[in-house]
């Protein structure tokens, strides 16, 4: 669990979002399949690192989650449950907020700027998607500004 200082209310809000994401995932809906707060994408991104090992070590934890097929009904390729190499790239492509990864990388050079734009207390709010290329646009404005 990520903590913002000693803020227990923030940690409780994270816990509540985890429940929402868990329930939606069990029903086959992922955070990038619907609009939602930035924290949802940050938490899924944080979970990606250990998810493959957890699935291999304790598959029973995932029994209630419907399997995603690698090809949909129209024959279009989708990221399936076994496509770990492409998962992070696919997640990044599908996210509404391209800065989801910045808070997860220790010492990321854009972290202060992202936090100035989107304080962690606002990560639970409805927001406009930042869209693809947001970190690059933010970096460019820091260099130009």
């Amino acid at each position: 669990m990520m903590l913002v200082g000693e803020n227990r209310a923030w940690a409780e809000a994270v816990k509540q979002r985890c429940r929402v994401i868990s329930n939606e995932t069990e029903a086959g809906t992922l955070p990038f399949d619907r609009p939602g707060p930035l924290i949802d994408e940050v938490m899924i991104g944080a979970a990606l690192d250990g998810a493959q090992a957890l699935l291999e070590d304790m598959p029973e934890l995932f029994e209630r989650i419907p399997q995603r097929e690698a090809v949909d009904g129209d024959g279009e390729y989708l990221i399936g449950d076994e496509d770990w190499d492409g998962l992070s790239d696919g997640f990044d492509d599908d996210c509404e907020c391209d800065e989801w990864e910045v808070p997860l990388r220790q010492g990321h050079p854009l972290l202060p700027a992202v936090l100035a734009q989107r304080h962690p207390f606002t990560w639970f709010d409805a927001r406009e998607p930042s869209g693809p290329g947001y970190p690059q646009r933010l970096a460019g404005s820091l260099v130009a500004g």
Side-chain angles (χ1 to χ4, degrees):
M1 180 185 297
M2 295 177 225
L3 292 176
V4 174
E6 295 294 321
N7 191 310
R8 294 182 190 274
W10 195 87
E12 179 61 28
V14 168
K15 183 172 106 178
Q16 290 173 11
R17 289 307 307 167
C18 284
R19 285 190 186 120
V20 168
I21 291 171
S22 174
N23 292 338
E24 289 178 346
T25 301
E26 286 179 8
T29 301
L30 298 175
F32 47 79
D33 290 338
R34 48 88 176 130
L38 172 62
I39 191 65
D40 292 1
E41 293 177 356
V42 172
M43 287 191 303
I44 290 295
L48 284 177
D49 288 338
Q52 182 177 9
L54 191 59
L55 179 60
E56 291 169 2
D57 292 344
M58 298 189 306
E60 65 277 4
L61 291 176
F62 299 89
E63 288 173 352
R64 295 187 342 208
I65 301 171
Q67 184 171 345
R68 288 179 76 128
E69 297 298 326
V71 178
D72 70 8
D74 297 327
E76 182 180 335
Y77 179 78
L78 303 172
I79 296 173
D81 287 354
E82 303 301 321
D83 298 325
W84 290 102
D85 292 338
L87 183 61
S88 181
D89 291 339
F91 179 72
D92 197 36
D93 291 345
D94 290 341
C95 284
E96 292 188 336
C97 293
D98 208 27
E99 69 275 23
W100 68 269
E101 194 171 12
V102 172
L104 300 176
R105 303 294 172 236
Q106 185 127 2
H108 195 292
L110 290 178
L111 183 60
V114 167
L115 294 178
Q117 293 279 323
R118 296 182 189 254
H119 190 281
F121 293 167
T122 68
W123 291 2
F124 304 92
D125 301 339
R127 76 323 186 227
E128 290 295 317
S130 59
Y134 174 77
Q136 292 80 6
R137 292 190 307 274
L138 185 59
S141 70
L142 294 175
V143 171

